[in-house]
């Protein structure tokens, strides 16, 4: 593709923000419906008044080019003579931090090497979630791309990279959704990462946050009070008002910017259950699909506690993180019962059966809060669900950030990993999981003093209802999010991955991902569930009819006791058929027990029975 055609293919200009309009000219646009007037302040120049435009916007075209540094000064009313200097809420980059000047970014400034990249089909997806800061910024992540490609993952998912206060943060405290975090390297460094990932055949997904802004550095309410509504409160304050057309466009344009200008292969939308207008989500997805050129693979992924199955359609969203699946597996492996795990204690094995058979566990049933949650999901294909044993939330939202391997028996983790990496659901790994890292992933921030104190105390009080922390002295063990040591403790120990016992875990993940790539992925299109069966408490058998007619069966026992494996009603040949067509066992000795109709404690076996064998049995 020549450069002109490539620029036409990726051309996109959001309504708001600063955009080069001609050589040495920039157009500025700010939505400020509650401001009396607005001035543009370019560094080194006199302020220039912006002109009122339709819908409460202020606009100005003036001299400028890539790298120009600027601020807006908004005046609340006629009596306001000093105004307030604010960053551009659609800033593409900040000089230094959220308090610095905004910077003009020319989308054509960066030259892409891999312009022919079109992405990969969703069924090929194996996601590796990572925190950019913990890996040393965008350049640090680039250094790991070769390793990740050899591991067998096909997509990296970046935790949010939009500008946040300070240099250390999970990213969910962002206040400038269009601006790439300066501490990570800025826009060009992100583009280099994405470009090089595409060269390795890796997709890049980005976690975006459209349900709230962070507590520090958000000035929108001062000049755009219609951005928020006062009748709905969220855990982060007043809800964003998605009834406003300009608010909708602000976020739709943001999604399109990431996909067009940064050539991202997909977006993961954080906690959309906190967005009150479902039709906004539908509009967002439809607009993305309309604006993406034919032949390009772009995937839209939800985090949605509401389990809204109706959003998982081809015209809307590709898949959803299956927290239900994680939660029930975690309960079966660890026995934990507090917090949201309370919803998965009762009939946990039956709940796992439902997950493997139908996707969501909660499909309209009441949760512990006494409200119905979810919609029927049995009609959806297995790859509409992203399954994981660990992610940033499930580790980092624990008081001490413990990883699963420190909480559950290693044989149980190995068995569950067999299900994770060989089932038709889309697997997600969290950085370090693949070598059995025991390093915690803690909640960390870098806020100013007063806010840092509030966050530290709020974090500790959050766990007061948990048995291990109901004593104030015990809560003092919870790391201070603002301490540099908390961040440093969360940096993955990559150098240990080739040392015992970590190398054994890494070999396991590589082996299972190779099996997935060779044996499962080519057969995934058209896959349907054949049902799941409870073998005993903590033990299940799940079966899927793959696209080529073969039968994928996974028997999993997470309990401490042996489970019977009497399968004569399902197969002509019973459990021995699993060993004859065995794809993987979680440990070598399991195969003998399976031959004798037993599934040992904390074990798993996966079998791929070809269509021809099934036909001969049925014949």
């Amino acid at each position: 593709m020549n450069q002109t055609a490539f620029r036409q293919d990726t051309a996109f200009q959001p309504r708001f923000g600063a955009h080069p309009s001609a050589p040495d000219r920039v157009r500025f646009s700010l939505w400020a419906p509650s401001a009396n007037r607005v001035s543009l302040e370019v560094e080194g120049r006199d302020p220039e008044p912006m002109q009122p435009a339709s819908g409460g916007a202020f606009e100005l075209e003036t001299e400028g080019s890539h790298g120009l540094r600027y601020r807006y000064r908004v005046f609340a009313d006629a009596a306001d003579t000093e105004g307030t200097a604010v960053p551009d809420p659609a800033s593409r980059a900040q000089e230094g931090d959220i308090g610095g000047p905004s910077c003009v970014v020319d989308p054509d400034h960066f030259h892409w090497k891999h312009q022919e990249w079109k992405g990969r089909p969703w069924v090929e997806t194996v996601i590796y979630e990572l925190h950019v800061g913990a890996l040393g910024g965008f350049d640090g992540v680039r250094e790991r791309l070769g390793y990740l490609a050899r591991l067998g993952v096909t997509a990296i998912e970046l935790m949010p990279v939009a500008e946040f206060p300070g240099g250390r943060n999970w990213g969910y405290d962002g206040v400038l959704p269009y601006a790439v975090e300066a501490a990570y390297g800025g826009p060009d460094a992100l583009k280099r990462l994405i470009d090089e990932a595409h060269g390795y055949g890796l997709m890049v997904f980005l976690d975006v946050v459209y349900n709230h802004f962070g507590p520090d550095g958000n000035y929108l309410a001062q000049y755009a009070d219609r951005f928020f509504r006062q009748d709905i409160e969220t855990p982060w304050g007043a809800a964003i008002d998605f009834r406003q057309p300009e608010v909708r466009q602000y976020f739709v344009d943001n999604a399109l910017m990431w996909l067009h200008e940064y050539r991202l292969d997909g977006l993961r939308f954080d906690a959309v259950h906190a967005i009150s207008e479902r039709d906004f989500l539908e509009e967002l997805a439809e607009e993305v699909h309309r604006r993406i050129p034919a032949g390009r693979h772009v995937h839209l992924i939800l985090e949605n506690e509401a389990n809204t199955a109706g959003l998982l359609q081809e015209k809307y969203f590709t898949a959803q993180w299956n927290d239900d699946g994680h939660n029930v597996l975690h309960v079966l492996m660890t026995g934990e019962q507090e917090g949201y795990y309370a919803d998965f204690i009762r009939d946990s094995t039956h709940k796992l059966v439902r997950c493997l058979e139908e996707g969501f566990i909660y499909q309209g049933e009441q949760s512990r809060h006494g409200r119905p949650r979810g919609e029927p999901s049995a009609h959806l294909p297995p790859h509409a669900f992203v399954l994981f044993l660990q992610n940033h939330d499930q580790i980092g939202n624990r008081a001490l950030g413990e990883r699963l391997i420190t909480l559950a028996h290693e044989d149980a983790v190995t068995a569950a990993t067999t299900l994770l990496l060989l089932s038709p659901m889309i697997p997600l790994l969290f950085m370090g999981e693949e070598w059995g890292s025991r390093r915690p992933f803690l909640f960390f921030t870098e806020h100013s003093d007063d806010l840092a104190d509030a966050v530290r105390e709020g974090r500790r009080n959050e766990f007061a209802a948990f048995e291990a922390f109901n004593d104030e002295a015990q809560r003092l063990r919870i790391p201070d999010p603002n301490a540099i040591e908390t961040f440093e403790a969360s940096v993955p120990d990559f150098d240990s991955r080739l040392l015992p016992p970590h190398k054994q875990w890494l070999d396991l993940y590589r082996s299972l991902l190779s099996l997935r790539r060779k044996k499962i992925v080519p057969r995934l299109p058209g896959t349907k569930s054949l049902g799941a069966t409870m073998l005993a408490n903590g033990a299940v058998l799940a079966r899927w009819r793959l696209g080529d007619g073969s039968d994928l069966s996974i028997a999993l026992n997470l309990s401490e006791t042996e489970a019977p494996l009497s399968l004569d009603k399902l197969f002509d040949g019973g459990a021995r058929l699993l060993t004859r067509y065995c794809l993987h066992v979680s440990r070598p000795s399991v195969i003998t027990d399976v031959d004798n109709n037993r599934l040992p404690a904390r074990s798993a076996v996966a079998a791929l029975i070809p269509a021809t064998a099934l036909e001969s049995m049925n014949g």
Side-chain angles (χ1 to χ4, degrees), residues 565-600:
L565 196 58
S566 301
L567 307 181
D568 292 329
K569 292 182 180 179
L570 297 176
F571 301 116
D572 184 5
R576 293 187 175 226
L577 202 61
L578 298 184
T579 59
R580 181 177 178 185
Y581 295 104
C582 180
L583 193 63
H584 177 79
V585 288
S586 60
R587 56 181 185 272
S589 61
V590 170
I591 200 78
T592 302
D593 290 288
V594 171
D595 248 345
N596 290 293
N597 298 317
R598 300 190 301 267
L599 188 61

Side-chain angles (χ1 to χ4, degrees), residues 414 417 503-513 584:
T414 302
T417 300
K503 187 177 184 302
Q504 291 90 322
W505 283 102
L506 186 59
D507 290 343
L508 170 67
Y509 274 75
R510 281 177 171 160
S511 174
L512 287 171
L513 287 172
H584 177 79

